[in-house]
Amino acid sequence: MRLLTTCLFASLLSAQTSRELSSINWMEFRDLVPKKIETVLVPLGTLEAHGVTGNGTDITAPVAISKAMAERVNALVAPVVSYGITGRLDAFAGEFTISDEAYRAYVGDVLRGMARIGFKNIILINGHGGQSAVLADLAEKIGREKNVRILSIDWWSYCSDVTYRTFNEDGGHAGWNETAMIQAIDRAQVRQDLYDDSLALPRQTAGTWSAYPFPASIILYQPKQGYVKFDQGKADAYFKGVVDKLVDLTNSTVKLWDKAGIFR
C-alpha cells in the first residue's frame, strides 16, 4: 500500500507542469495543496538603481533563488511582489517607491490569501532591505491572525557568510556580491562596460549621516571591500552557496515547526 501511494505521488508530481503558482492548472493545485505541498515561496523586490545591473535586481534575485529552491523544499513559487519601499534611491532614473501604508496593506492581503488557499508554510524571499521591517512585522501579525507559519528572509544579509567565503571580503548594495548574483542569473543584465570604481561609495560611517537622494547606487559595507570584479566562476559559486543556505534554513525551520506541532 505504501509503495502504491508513493508511486501515485511520484506520478502526480511528474505530471505537474510547473512549480510556479501562476502556471499550474486549478485542478493540479487542488490535488497538490495542502495534501502534497504545504509550502509556498513568495519573492519580493522593488525597482531601484543597482550600479551596473538592472533596476529590477531586487526582483531578479529573489525570483531566481525561489525557483532554484522550490523542488528542494517541496514548494510552489508565487508570483513576485515587484513594487516595494525603495527609499532614498527612488530619485535615480526609472524607479519609484510605494508608500509604507499601501505596501503593508497589499502584502498583508497577499499573505492572507496564501493562507486561505491552503498553504501552511509561507516563506518570504525578500530582495530589498527597505521593506525588511515591514515584512517581519507582517509575518508575525498575519501568522498569529491566520494560524499560518511564516518565515521572512533577507537573502543577502542571511548569506553574509557566503559572501565572505566566496569573495574573501564583505560586499555591498550593488557591490561585488549582489552584482555577482545577477551575473550568475543573467549576464545580459550586467553592464560591465559601464562600471567604474568611482560609482561606489564606501559607507564607513554608517548611521552617522544621511542624504536624500542618496548620492551613489553602489554602497559598500566596508571601506576597500566589495568593489565589483566580474568573475563568472565566483558568481556561479555565490549563487549556489546562497541557494544551499536558504534551502537549509527553510527545511530546518519547517522541520522544527512540525516537531513542535505548531499550527498543524
Side-chain angles (χ1 to χ4, degrees):
M1 183 67 176
R2 178 177 295 177
L3 178 60
L4 176 61
T5 301
T6 302
C7 290
L8 288 172
F9 182 34
S11 175
L12 177 63
L13 288 181
S14 65
Q16 182 184 332
T17 57
S18 175
R19 285 268 177 183
E20 295 183 48
L21 186 55
S22 61
S23 298
I24 64 173
N25 179 271
W26 69 271
M27 288 175 278
E28 290 178 288
F29 186 91
R30 177 194 59 193
D31 292 337
L32 289 171
V33 179
K35 187 164 42 178
K36 303 299 183 184
I37 297 178
E38 297 184 342
T39 301
V40 63
L41 302 172
V42 183
L44 305 102
T46 196
L47 290 173
E48 180 181 60
H50 274 78
V52 297
T53 62
N55 281 3
T57 287
D58 287 347
I59 300 168
T60 300
V63 168
I65 291 167
S66 296
K67 289 180 179 178
M69 292 175 61
E71 186 172 353
R72 295 172 64 186
V73 299
N74 191 29
L76 296 181
V77 179
V80 63
V81 179
S82 298
Y83 301 102
I85 305 172
T86 301
R88 294 185 182 128
L89 291 178
D90 67 353
F92 281 76
E95 54 188 282
F96 55 89
T97 188
I98 301 299
S99 70
D100 182 287
E101 294 172 323
Y103 186 81
R104 188 180 292 272
Y106 181 74
V107 175
D109 277 352
V110 169
L111 300 183
R112 291 183 182 94
M114 293 299 169
R116 183 187 66 79
I117 62 177
F119 289 109
K120 297 182 183 298
N121 310 310
I122 303 173
I123 314 299
L124 307 181
I125 308 298
N126 181 36
H128 175 61
Q131 55 220 22
S132 300
V134 173
L135 294 176
D137 184 57
L138 284 172
E140 181 177 349
K141 177 182 178 182
I142 306 303
R144 182 176 293 114
E145 174 188 321
K146 294 298 180 180
N147 286 352
V148 65
R149 309 181 311 188
I150 305 177
L151 170 65
S152 182
I153 313 170
D154 293 342
W155 74 261
W156 70 97
S157 180
Y158 182 68
C159 295
S160 60
D161 61 325
V162 181
T163 298
Y164 277 102
R165 185 168 65 246
T166 305
F167 307 109
N168 297 313
E169 59 184 60
D170 206 348
H173 178 274
W176 191 4
N177 58 324
E178 196 171 17
T179 301
M181 173 61 69
I182 302 305
Q183 186 177 350
I185 297 166
D186 182 4
R187 282 180 286 179
Q189 294 188 37
V190 181
R191 291 293 306 274
Q192 184 173 349
D193 58 306
L194 297 178
Y195 180 76
D196 187 280
D197 282 350
S198 66
L199 291 170
L201 175 63
R203 196 74 188 275
Q204 57 201 64
T205 52
T208 62
W209 62 276
S210 63
Y212 180 84
F214 201 78
S217 68
I218 302 178
I219 308 167
L220 306 181
Y221 301 146
Q222 303 289 339
K224 300 181 180 180
Q225 296 184 32
Y227 289 99
V228 180
K229 304 171 186 66
F230 301 93
D231 183 319
Q232 190 64 44
K234 288 188 176 182
D236 293 340
Y238 185 61
F239 181 82
K240 181 181 184 302
V242 167
V243 171
D244 286 347
K245 186 164 187 184
L246 267 61
V247 165
D248 288 346
L249 174 63
T250 300
N251 283 334
S252 62
T253 301
V254 171
K255 184 177 180 179
L256 286 169
W257 278 332
D258 286 346
K259 185 176 181 179
I262 296 173
F263 299 156
R264 294 301 301 170

